[in-house]
Amino acid sequence: MPAPETGSEPAAARPNLGAVSVTQLEDWERELFEPQLTFTSGDARKTGLPENSVDLIVTSPPYWNKRDYGHTDQIGQEATPQAYVHAILECLEEWKRVLRPHGSVFLNVGDTYFKKSLLGIPGRIEWDAVNSGGWLVRNRIIWAKESGMPDPAKNRLANRHEYIIHLTPSADYYYDLVGYSESVGNGANPGDVWIINPERNMGEHLAPFPREIVRRAIQLAAPAQVCATCNVPRRRVIERTSELDPKRPQAKRAMELAEEHKLTADHIRAIQAFGVSDVGKATKFQSGTGRNSLEVQRLAMEAKAVLGGYFREFTFAKKRTVGWTDCGHGTPARGVVLDPFAGTGTTLKTANVEGRDAVGVDLVPLMNQADVGG
């Protein structure tokens, strides 16, 4: 799929994609094996894995000019930063082959100082991924650390953040923002800054990758279950309720007015179809406004007449999960997470804990070493 035009935003995935019915995750779970972990020696640029076999890639390649792993085919010891970026783009081309159409990559990559200057390597990767590789960069997540290794520099601040780049080959990728928000618990869309401190490393691996980063990426972009026949992921099906948070004075007053004037469930749905505002600039950007039926418009106006400024409160009503899309083939499988720079296997082990199958590839396997610890 070609990249969107400049300034446009890819449409969100349709929630009922591939569904003939709505069932529960438990209905498929009893037919599944325990999560599997598979490791193979190999190059991230040529994994040998089948096409369309992976739902999510979470990985942290060696940073440029940081550490020599002693392998002739290693990435990270290229002669120039641009050669390193080219190597990462070769990886991305291979990863696009093994990803399913709804797949994502969460790429943790840091920058490097060279001749007293940062090189902007993450930005170079993003630029080339979009302009040469045909990828979409959906987020540049900031991994912020409250502590870190001592930094001897006296004329600049200590580095306390890295990037996690979320890339997708298509605008129609799997994404469970509702489930993620419920887990993180700080808003409907918690934002792109993750404050996660490094975990204590118990082995020789010098670049421990926190399990929390893996867990968050999995919650966002790795379906728990996928059909083994059509490779379609099961997506959350949600409905908006009329329930508000009574601890908020505005919400409490909105509920009181709705009850006093006997607004129906159809009135509440009409409010929600209009969104935050039914007038002005907002009507040009909201999905429901301007395309509602005359009956919905009538009900919304009735509600606005009695609610006044509290009209908008019902657009923030709680949502609930009613089930998950079911394609009807009856061939359940777990979502698959790949780490092509598997290292000590933190990504793989975390994926198993989260109920996904895990596949690891690495030139220098360290799976027999101690894992990172809290």
Side-chain angles (χ1 to χ4, degrees), residues 52-55 98-104 169 226 231 334-336:
N52 302 321
S53 61
V54 171
D55 300 288
V98 303
L99 275 177
R100 290 167 176 156
H102 57 262
S104 287
V226 177
N231 283 342
R334 296 188 184 278
V336 179

Side-chain angles (χ1 to χ4, degrees), residues 63-81:
Y63 301 167
W64 183 69
N65 204 27
K66 290 287 189 179
R67 185 186 180 193
D68 187 348
Y69 286 89
H71 196 288
T72 55
D73 295 325
Q74 68 184 328
I75 289 175
Q77 291 296 305
E78 292 76 11
T80 65

Side-chain angles (χ1 to χ4, degrees), residues 202-336:
M202 303 299 292
E204 296 178 8
H205 195 233
L206 297 184
F209 192 47
R211 289 167 290 190
E212 179 63 12
I213 288 178
V214 181
R215 190 181 71 87
R216 292 191 185 195
I218 288 172
Q219 287 181 331
L220 280 170
Q225 297 171 354
V226 177
C227 174
T229 299
C230 63
N231 283 342
V232 169
R234 302 194 69 188
R235 299 179 189 264
R236 185 185 299 268
V237 179
I238 59 174
E239 67 176 14
R240 185 174 283 167
T241 70
S242 59
E243 299 175 26
L244 303 180
D245 182 359
K247 294 192 292 292
R248 293 183 63 250
Q250 300 94 324
K252 183 179 180 182
R253 181 56 180 156
M255 290 188 289
E256 290 171 349
L257 287 171
E259 183 177 359
E260 176 184 341
H261 293 278
K262 296 182 171 51
L263 294 185
T264 66
D266 287 339
H267 282 104
I268 303 304
R269 283 193 289 270
I271 295 171
Q272 293 167 347
F274 267 80
V276 174
S277 175
D278 59 314
V279 296
K281 185 187 296 184
T283 62
K284 302 181 186 303
F285 298 98
Q286 292 164 198
S287 59
T289 303
R291 291 192 290 274
N292 295 305
S293 69
L294 291 176
E295 177 63 9
V296 169
Q297 294 179 47
R298 183 187 69 80
L299 289 167
M301 291 305 98
E302 285 184 0
K304 186 175 180 63
V306 300
L307 292 173
Y310 297 100
F311 176 87
R312 68 194 299 271
E313 289 298 322
F314 283 100
T315 66
F316 304 114
K318 296 178 182 179
K319 298 175 182 178
R320 69 182 182 95
T321 300
V322 297
W324 297 78
T325 56
D326 189 330
C327 62
H329 286 117
T331 51
R334 296 188 184 278
V336 179

Side-chain angles (χ1 to χ4, degrees), residues 152-170:
K154 302 299 182 184
N155 58 355
R156 61 172 174 81
L157 299 176
N159 293 321
R160 291 291 182 264
H161 78 278
E162 297 181 24
Y163 296 109
I164 302 166
I165 307 169
H166 177 201
L167 305 109
T168 64
S170 163

Side-chain angles (χ1 to χ4, degrees), residues 1-67:
M1 178 177 291
E5 295 180 4
T6 302
S8 66
E9 174 71 6
R14 292 166 292 170
N16 61 347
L17 182 66
V20 298
S21 64
V22 177
T23 57
Q24 303 303 316
L25 291 180
E26 293 79 6
D27 298 333
W28 284 29
E29 185 67 29
R30 53 178 170 263
E31 303 295 328
L32 296 172
F33 294 108
E34 289 296 310
Q36 304 296 304
L37 191 157
T38 305
F39 178 84
T40 180
S41 297
D43 195 315
R45 292 162 288 196
K46 193 173 182 180
T47 64
L49 300 175
E51 293 183 6
N52 302 321
S53 61
V54 171
D55 300 288
L56 172 67
I57 295 172
V58 185
T59 195
S60 182
Y63 301 167
W64 183 69
N65 204 27
K66 290 287 189 179
R67 185 186 180 193

